[in-house]
Amino acid sequence: ETRPPREPCLSLAARSVNAVRSRLSGSCCGVSGKTWIRPGGFDTGLKTFNSLTKQKEPLILAREGVATWYSCGPTVYDHAHLGHACSYVRFDILQRILTKMFGITVIHAMVITDIDDKIIKRSWEAHTDVTLFIYKHVFVIVFEVIPPAVYLRVTDNVHHIVAFIERIIQNGHAYATKEGDVFFDIRSIGDRYGKFGGAADSQGEPWSTNKRDARDFALWKPSKPQEPYWESPWGRGRPGWHIECSTIASCITGHSVFGSQLDIHSGGIDLAFPHHENEVAQSEAYHQCGQWANYFLHSGHLHLKGSAEKMSKSLKNYITIKDFLQSYSANEFRMFCLLAKYRSAVDYSDSSMSQARTSLGTISTFIHDAQAYLKGQLQCLPVQEAFLWERLAETKSSVVKALAEDFDTPRAVGALMNMVYHGNCQLQPVSESDGAARSPAVFAAMISYIRDVLDVFGIDLLHTSHGGNLEGVVEQLTRFRSEVRAFALARQDAPTSGSTSKPGLFKERIPLLKACDTLRDGLAPFGVLIKDRGATSTWEITQGKPSERGQSVQNKDQETSS
């Protein structure tokens, strides 16, 4: 096939186009173009599954204690659904683990695709800025996802995208057509295309017949009537989808963000091919490097239980975040994400959310019971203190090992729940203390560690949405109720002759005792769980509906106190 001559590389005049093409089309440092090159730098001691090699690899960073991380941002033109939230919450958890557990600073950049017609149309209808429109409809605020350090819009950087495309053309890896399209030249990089698989069967983008190879993809395309457009050397048009991410991640406002060296790139598994494949091709053609991104992390899809397809708007099998929050909390969704590996597909159902809710409830109940023990409000049998210290040390070791092995959050949560189980076994209440020595230190240490781990995961059971005012009200209410209940439970020296009341209780005070039970049971549906422990009472504020455990405790308390 005869091809038009390429323009010389203006920015790299000392190098010929043929030299650049040779470097990218064949081998690099004597290895195949698809062979992963183990990066030099600082070994973190962690392992992560790398989609470039289809196996776990040591996580090695270019700079000690710093990870550069790029992720494709959302293209959201309507209410965000749980499929969006699942991917971003999962990667937020991974970044928190790197930062808070292993002391690695994550420099996270994200692009906001605000050039899509649907987004622009909806933002006009809403009379608001596109970025703000997206931000309000996504997950950052609701699910407390840590915002990226660099958060950029495509529309602010089109002129840089044009310059990025020009350099790819100059380097001999793209071509313009007379119709105003610019395509990436797949053949120019030889066997380097297809790092993620799928390239062999790919037919490329079917909408154009002006390509040299069916696999070639658009870097720039002419705008149709009524579409937004930007000026370029190839006429009025707009960027292709893939080029947006490569430009944003590489060079913004004339300065390098990550340049030719990126540690981690993340996204949903559906983006691996062709989106991430094309990103890699473009970026390596632009930078003339052998390996632009060292690690690709892909999250599994969220499915509605029983559905083989991922949750998406196009398939109309999604649940909006707004609807989700009518039944469950953001903390419960985080626990739902933690109970499955980030790489695995996960089924969403009432059953799976119930498991997440129960796990959180078990942890919350243990914390409150342990706090009651610390305050002397919960009398227990003698505690096996040495055994609990051993379980705490064992749990700390197990959690670190699990998270260092490809961020295995289900195993880490399992280790935490096992420690909670042993702690609960030691908190067996008795009606009266025998004066034995107490062991508050180990329970204080366990509470502190649990909160530290939950903080790593982004879960905060201490500061819930109700705020401190409600806690103060509940504390005063519980204290008043305890005084009334103690008065009602006071016993006579001997039962009154012919009395139908329980032996030892004052008959006229029984309605007060029943009123205390009614108050306790009436508060439970509102998330206020009061537990009667002999002559004292403890309380906690739960999220969502009361757990089965909480209900059973309430029923048991009612039987013993009435």
Side-chain angles (χ1 to χ4, degrees), residues 14-278:
R15 303 190 184 192
S16 69
V17 170
N18 290 335
V20 176
R21 288 168 64 93
S22 175
R23 181 176 181 181
L24 287 174
S25 62
S27 62
C28 179
C29 303
V31 298
S32 167
K34 294 180 184 177
T35 301
W36 182 68
I37 307 167
R38 179 173 172 144
F42 297 89
D43 194 333
T44 62
L46 285 74
K47 288 186 177 180
T48 187
F49 186 90
N50 191 354
S51 295
L52 290 170
T53 63
K54 310 297 189 295
Q55 64 183 18
K56 294 178 185 178
E57 303 288 357
L59 180 59
I60 301 172
L61 304 177
R63 288 181 289 278
E64 185 175 11
V66 177
T68 53
W69 185 312
Y70 179 81
S71 62
C72 303
T75 305
V76 180
Y77 54 87
D78 204 340
H79 292 292
H81 60 67
L82 286 185
H84 299 134
C86 189
S87 178
Y88 289 97
V89 169
R90 280 172 152 182
F91 285 126
D92 179 71
I93 290 171
L94 266 56
Q95 291 179 7
R96 287 172 180 267
I97 290 171
L98 285 175
T99 300
K100 298 189 176 187
M101 182 66 72
F102 298 104
I104 296 170
T105 300
V106 176
I107 310 299
H108 181 200
M110 178 186 289
V111 63
I112 290 296
T113 303
D114 58 349
I115 212 169
D116 183 274
D117 290 338
K118 295 176 182 177
I119 293 178
I120 295 173
K121 182 175 183 293
R122 290 301 300 272
S123 67
W124 285 344
E125 292 172 353
H127 303 290
T128 187
D129 177 83
V130 174
T131 302
L132 292 177
F133 177 81
I134 295 171
Y135 191 83
K136 291 176 182 177
H137 287 73
V138 194
F139 36 79
V140 175
I141 297 175
V142 173
F143 292 104
E144 297 186 2
V145 171
I146 297 174
V150 183
Y151 211 11
L152 296 159
R153 303 186 304 178
V154 173
T155 51
D156 290 335
N157 293 280
V158 174
H159 57 299
H160 296 298
I161 294 175
V162 170
F164 199 92
I165 295 171
E166 286 184 297
R167 182 164 173 175
I168 295 177
I169 294 175
Q170 293 162 6
N171 287 350
H173 298 290
Y175 58 91
T177 69
K178 61 182 180 180
E179 291 81 10
D181 297 284
V182 179
F183 293 105
F184 187 87
D185 188 353
I186 293 294
R187 296 180 190 175
S188 72
I189 61 172
D191 69 348
R192 297 187 64 81
Y193 194 72
K195 295 177 185 289
F196 297 105
D201 301 327
S202 172
Q203 297 301 313
E205 299 161 333
W207 49 266
S208 177
T209 60
N210 302 321
K211 297 185 290 184
R212 296 171 179 172
D213 188 296
R215 299 170 300 168
D216 293 352
F217 55 89
L219 305 182
W220 187 266
K221 48 190 176 181
S223 292
K224 299 175 183 178
Q226 307 304 317
E227 284 186 346
Y229 65 84
W230 287 261
E231 300 291 346
S232 81
W234 318 286
R236 291 178 173 179
R238 56 200 301 190
W241 175 33
H242 315 298
I243 197 66
E244 298 171 358
C245 289
S246 292
T247 304
I248 296 293
S250 295
C251 54
I252 301 300
T253 62
H255 300 283
S256 174
V257 175
F258 296 145
S260 61
Q261 180 67 67
L262 175 63
D263 292 319
I264 300 171
H265 194 311
S266 65
I269 187 61
D270 55 315
L271 296 178
F273 189 89
H275 184 51
H276 291 163
E277 186 74 55
N278 293 348

Side-chain angles (χ1 to χ4, degrees), residues 93 96-97 334 338 403 409 412-413 453-459:
I93 290 171
R96 287 172 180 267
I97 290 171
R334 275 192 178 265
L338 289 164
L403 298 181
T409 57
V413 171
V453 173
L454 293 181
D455 179 65
V456 169
F457 295 150
I459 294 175

